[in-house]
Amino acid sequence: MGSVFGKESVEEPPHDTLLSRSDATTSYELRKYGQRYAATITYKKTGDKSENSPFGALAKYIGVFGTPQNEGDTSIAMTAPVVMENSNKPTQIAMTAPVVMENNKDDDSDSNKKMMFMLPVEYDSMDKIPKPTNPSVHIEAIPSQTGVVHVYNGKWGEARNTELAKSLAQQLIQDGVPDMTEEYVLANYQFWGYNPPFTLPYFRRNEIWVQLESAQADYLEKTFEPEINAAERPVMKGRNKFTIGALGLVLGCYAISVLWKKTNGSQYRRISA
């Protein structure tokens, strides 16, 4: 039930928040990630949302839809879920966040996309990662990266992501980031999603990520003072989100009832307090 209201219970790659520009017109954070590993698939946009979709192929690899489609070679204990497997059986892998989607810049076709599932931190080398049995799924090592992230809620889609990427690019240019252009951002940004499809849009955590060169990251750190330590930053979670969501639901129902009474006043008598 918590996932409906945006409660995040899956593991995320560890990172350092170096800077928060929450007061900017288009807010963003500067983050640094260490090396990560991801299960990836390159595909053409078809709108398929079944188990045969790119998401479905990656989900099958980690075992969301039953027997994992991988060649497990070790017995491992996961944070969530905990599964013990024999060396000759497939290995179930915990779901992590975010799910990453990007354009395939190595192909001339605009319709080619790449989707990634970040793997849990215990898979810190190729020899520990179960080999996919689906030839379309690949394991990639993602080197250490520093970049900026714009966080937003609500519905997401390609058009909105592109619009927000443009706004982020303009903000970075306004902030004086060296050699920053809108063309670079639009060609290289990634969408990061953290919530299942049934999460209410208001409670979704969506992110636009743009990788920076070390000189660009250094410029931001030297130019803008950190506003708040990442460990001290207040975060709206669990009970607070539920309380706000419940209050919004109550107010919405009240507004609807008032509107209904105004348009149908002759049919119903007013209930006194």
Side-chain angles (χ1 to χ4, degrees):
M1 185 67 176
S3 295
V4 175
F5 294 99
K7 182 177 181 181
E8 298 167 20
S9 58
V10 295
E11 181 182 350
E12 294 181 29
H15 65 273
D16 295 320
T17 300
L18 308 177
L19 176 72
S20 176
R21 290 277 286 131
S22 61
D23 60 342
T25 302
T26 300
S27 61
Y28 63 86
E29 294 180 352
L30 179 67
R31 296 182 192 167
K32 182 176 182 179
Y33 288 86
Q35 178 171 275
R36 296 150 289 164
Y37 289 87
T40 73
I41 186 170
T42 301
Y43 63 99
K44 290 185 181 295
K45 186 176 179 181
T46 63
D48 182 8
K49 298 181 180 180
S50 70
E51 293 183 16
N52 298 318
S53 67
F55 183 92
L58 294 176
K60 286 180 179 179
Y61 165 70
I62 67 173
V64 171
F65 296 128
T67 303
Q69 292 187 351
N70 63 62
E71 298 176 359
D73 56 3
T74 56
S75 297
I76 60 172
M78 308 300 298
T79 303
V82 177
V83 179
M84 301 299 295
E85 295 288 352
N86 295 324
S87 61
N88 62 339
K89 293 182 178 180
T91 301
Q92 189 165 9
I93 302 173
M95 183 67 181
T96 59
V99 175
V100 178
M101 284 181 276
E102 67 174 15
N103 291 325
N104 182 10
K105 298 177 288 294
D106 297 326
D107 193 292
D108 293 333
S109 174
D110 292 335
S111 63
N112 283 345
K113 308 288 183 181
K114 178 183 284 187
M115 184 179 293
M116 308 181 197
F117 275 16
M118 298 297 176
L119 299 180
V121 293
E122 51 263 54
Y123 292 104
D124 54 6
S125 64
M126 282 292 188
D127 59 345
K128 294 182 181 180
I129 301 173
K131 182 180 178 181
T133 56
N134 183 343
S136 297
V137 176
H138 303 279
I139 304 300
E140 294 185 16
I142 303 175
S144 177
Q145 296 175 323
T146 301
V148 292
V149 173
H150 171 66
V151 183
Y152 72 97
N153 65 345
K155 295 181 179 180
W156 63 270
E158 188 170 344
R160 187 177 188 196
N161 290 341
T162 299
E163 178 184 352
L164 291 173
K166 288 181 180 179
S167 298
L168 178 58
Q170 291 304 314
Q171 184 65 56
L172 295 173
I173 294 171
Q174 180 180 326
D175 287 349
V177 176
D179 302 319
M180 179 57 62
T181 65
E182 181 177 298
E183 290 75 18
Y184 170 78
V185 172
L186 292 180
N188 293 276
Y189 82 85
Q190 296 178 343
F191 168 77
W192 292 5
Y194 288 81
N195 306 103
F198 49 79
T199 299
L200 296 175
Y202 177 81
F203 298 104
R204 288 183 180 277
R205 174 186 168 192
N206 310 311
E207 296 183 345
I208 301 295
W209 159 270
V210 178
Q211 184 178 351
L212 299 183
E213 299 292 339
S214 58
Q216 295 172 321
D218 290 343
Y219 167 84
L220 285 174
E221 285 194 89
K222 293 176 181 178
T223 304
F224 301 99
E225 292 292 331
E227 297 174 4
I228 188 169
N229 185 286
E232 299 173 354
R233 185 184 300 112
V235 178
M236 182 174 65
K237 288 187 176 180
R239 183 176 300 176
N240 290 336
K241 281 189 174 183
F242 178 82
T243 302
I244 294 175
L247 178 59
L249 182 61
V250 171
L251 292 175
C253 291
Y254 174 76
I256 292 173
S257 67
V258 170
L259 180 61
W260 180 265
K261 288 177 181 179
K262 287 183 177 181
T263 56
N264 298 272
S266 61
Q267 299 180 37
Y268 300 92
R269 65 180 180 87
R270 184 172 182 178
I271 301 176
S272 59

